[in-house]
Amino acid sequence: MFRFGYDGVMSSVTSAADTAVRPLRKDAERNRALILDAAREVYAAQGLDAGFDEIARVAGVGVGTVYRRFPERADLVEALFEQEVDAVVARAEQAAADPDPWRGLREFLSWGVEAQAADRGLAQVLALAGHGHERVATGRERLRPAVAALVRHAQRAGVLRGDVTELDIGIAVAMISRVGGTDRSQLRERYVTLVLDGLAVRRDGPSPLAPVPASEDDLACIVAPARGR
Amino acid sequence: MFRFGYDGVMSSVTSAADTAVRPLRKDAERNRALILDAAREVYAAQGLDAGFDEIARVAGVGVGTVYRRFPERADLVEALFEQEVDAVVARAEQAAADPDPWRGLREFLSWGVEAQAADRGLAQVLALAGHGHERVATGRERLRPAVAALVRHAQRAGVLRGDVTELDIGIAVAMISRVGGTDRSQLRERYVTLVLDGLAVRRDGPSPLAPVPASEDDLACIVAPARGR
DNA sequence: GAAGAACCGGAAAGACCGTTCCACTTCGTA
DNA sequence: TACGAAGTGGAACGGTCTTTCCGGTTCTTC
């Protein structure tokens, strides 16, 4: 398809490679930022299936503007997601750098649980299966080694059982984050402790875990209740 | 309000106590059963917010019939729920009777997790907060002592840590049941093991859990994603 | 500062879902 | 068998949410 009026100057180059994106007009750029801010707020509070009209209302723009700026719903979600993944990765790296690996792991778990408990949208995106969400998949691939490093450190230090993977940590975070309302962080902390007790190496050794391979998709169903039938 | 034509014969007794329910007509009774069966199936697959029209379709009746038989949505849900609670209570009692208390606990946990993973509706009803759902509350009150007995037995035998309550078990079941798709029971079993490791009494002792009091409502949010805003 | 492309808001159209309503059928009774 | 009450199906209604569309506005460029 050839989108008229989008390239501005008639380009004589007609190859598919001239995907030079011209900058948005000033007001459009401002609105884009307003929409992103509003979406962050609304998604955090209501989850990903909040309506565009609500976002438009909070942003103070018309619905049409939201649709023009983000023709695909996924564009908006993924734009937000990439910023959030940065924060999670940073936190994982910080945790991995802790001189006390167990404390690092514990803090990452607690923080992740609260982050997802406070932001329904984040939890849902993180759980999105790969179906056409390349940017989400990429983000998660970026997250994975950071958590893996955290796991490896704790295991090398002999405090984390060896049969635990970085996916276990991700699943544990998502699982525990569903406990209680927004204000029940103390309760969630209880289960963080409980699960960590199960994850810890003890003198009399934990029961061996069956080596069931977990796939990325297993994360999906914890939060996203399979709305598509 | 006085509902005409419902009492059939004009009763001279007008006190509120004459709640004699006349039996349904034969075809109505048959449809009622069809609807209950269909609802069980649909709710299990799609969760409680499945539409009445879907239930009607599966039952092979018109939507109107469903509405007439179950004017309140809750009537249908709770009618099903009571049957299901019976099964859970039975299972808990069976587990508590196991000569090996730890095995009993483990089997109850595994079974409960799979039951809720296979039946989205069950998980959602069990998690319903008390708001006007007296029958659900009653059912859960019936469930509670059964699980408490299970917990007590394991604690008396010295295999379950003393700071664990029956609500912890309920929350653990709900939490773990959210992991993976319907077909990932092996994965869920992994987390059952993990959580049980955290729950077990070990020679070098588990970390103390903070005594955060859990309320019934804390169960609610694990499964029911706060659809009401 | 004038022309015109890009952009805006919000009304209108469309899809969807829960609920009600009523012309017709089935059942129980006499 | 015949009558009336009880029950039935599904069309129609009203509400909500998503998306499109267009007359008017704002920005950029020359």
Side-chain angles (χ1 to χ4, degrees), chain A residues 206-218:
Chain A
S207 341
L209 289 180
V212 181
S215 80
E216 294 277 321
D217 281 10
D218 291 321

Side-chain angles (χ1 to χ4, degrees), chain A residues 10-228:
Chain A
M10 280 295 192
S11 165
S12 57
V13 186
T14 51
S15 90
D18 68 333
T19 37
V21 184
R22 72 159 32 194
L24 287 174
R25 229 171 65 174
K26 197 171 53 181
D27 52 345
E29 187 57 52
R30 184 177 49 81
N31 279 337
R32 195 188 125 93
L34 285 175
I35 291 169
L36 277 174
D37 285 346
R40 199 185 339 270
E41 182 185 327
V42 172
Y43 282 156
Q46 306 189 9
L48 291 188
D49 41 41
F52 267 21
D53 44 353
E54 174 71 2
I55 293 172
R57 204 183 53 76
V58 172
V61 303
V63 223
T65 306
V66 181
Y67 275 93
R68 192 169 327 94
R69 215 39 67 215
F70 300 95
E72 300 289 336
R73 211 176 206 69
D75 295 344
L76 179 51
V77 169
E78 295 184 357
L80 287 172
F81 175 66
E82 295 193 334
Q83 302 172 349
E84 311 215 25
V85 162
D86 286 341
V88 181
V89 170
R91 196 78 187 205
E93 284 167 352
Q94 173 190 331
D98 194 310
D100 178 347
W102 187 253
R103 188 180 58 190
L105 181 63
R106 158 151 219 142
E107 281 178 6
F108 179 71
L109 227 73
S110 289
W111 177 83
V113 162
E114 285 317 302
Q116 289 197 30
D119 187 335
R120 297 201 342 107
L122 173 61
Q124 284 179 295
V125 191
L126 279 171
L128 276 182
H131 312 301
H133 300 270
E134 302 83 21
R135 288 168 78 188
V136 171
T138 311
R140 218 158 32 196
E141 267 336 288
R142 204 147 53 84
L143 188 49
R144 193 167 176 159
V147 179
L150 185 60
V151 166
R152 206 180 319 119
H153 286 182
Q155 284 171 335
R156 290 235 176 95
V159 291
L160 178 65
R161 53 203 285 181
D163 49 4
V164 162
T165 72
E166 69 276 12
L167 272 171
D168 285 326
I169 303 300
I171 290 184
V173 168
M175 189 172 81
I176 302 172
S177 73
R178 301 305 311 269
V179 173
T182 330
D183 55 333
R184 301 305 312 244
S185 59
Q186 280 189 296
L187 181 65
R188 281 185 292 271
E189 193 62 26
R190 180 182 176 88
Y191 295 105
V192 167
T193 298
L194 208 119
V195 168
L196 279 171
D197 276 345
L199 290 169
V201 169
R202 315 297 262 291
R203 267 190 290 285
D204 51 352
S207 341
L209 289 180
V212 181
S215 80
E216 294 277 321
D217 281 10
D218 291 321
L219 265 171
C221 312
I222 302 180
V223 173
R227 185 141 283 280

Side-chain angles (χ1 to χ4, degrees), chain B:
Chain B
M1 303 301 168
F2 188 74
R3 282 184 293 169
F4 225 123
Y6 195 69
D7 273 346
V9 184
M10 281 293 193
S11 165
S12 58
V13 185
T14 50
S15 88
D18 68 334
T19 37
V21 184
R22 72 158 35 189
L24 287 175
R25 228 171 65 176
K26 196 171 52 182
D27 53 345
E29 188 56 53
R30 184 176 49 81
N31 280 338
R32 195 187 125 93
L34 284 175
I35 292 169
L36 277 175
D37 284 347
R40 200 184 338 268
E41 180 185 329
V42 171
Y43 282 155
Q46 304 188 11
L48 291 187
D49 41 43
F52 267 21
D53 44 355
E54 174 72 2
I55 294 173
R57 205 184 52 75
V58 172
V61 303
V63 223
T65 306
V66 180
Y67 275 93
R68 189 167 332 88
R69 215 39 66 213
F70 300 95
E72 300 289 334
R73 208 175 208 69
D75 295 343
L76 179 49
V77 169
E78 294 184 355
L80 288 173
F81 175 66
E82 295 191 335
Q83 302 172 348
E84 312 215 22
V85 161
D86 286 341
V88 181
V89 169
R91 196 77 189 208
E93 284 167 352
Q94 174 190 333
D98 194 311
D100 177 348
W102 187 252
R103 188 178 58 190
L105 182 62
R106 155 149 222 142
E107 280 178 5
F108 179 71
L109 227 72
S110 290
W111 178 83
V113 162
E114 287 315 303
Q116 288 196 32
D119 188 333
R120 296 198 346 102
L122 173 61
Q124 285 179 298
V125 191
L126 279 171
L128 277 182
H131 312 300
H133 300 271
E134 302 82 22
R135 287 168 79 188
V136 171
T138 312
R140 223 165 22 203
E141 267 337 288
R142 205 146 52 84
L143 188 48
R144 193 169 177 156
V147 179
L150 185 59
V151 166
R152 205 181 319 117
H153 286 183
Q155 283 171 337
R156 291 233 175 96
V159 291
L160 177 64
R161 52 201 287 180
D163 48 4
V164 161
T165 72
E166 69 277 12
L167 271 172
D168 285 325
I169 303 298
I171 290 185
V173 168
M175 190 172 79
I176 303 173
S177 73
R178 300 307 309 271
V179 173
T182 330
D183 55 334
R184 300 305 313 247
S185 61
Q186 279 189 296
L187 181 65
R188 281 186 291 272
E189 193 63 27
R190 180 182 176 88
Y191 294 105
V192 167
T193 298
L194 207 120
V195 168
L196 279 171
D197 277 345
L199 291 170
V201 168
R202 315 294 263 293
R203 267 189 291 285
D204 50 353
S207 337
L209 289 179
V212 180
S215 81
E216 296 276 322
D217 281 11
D218 290 321
L219 264 172
C221 311
I222 302 181
V223 173
R227 186 143 284 279
R229 39 196 63 169

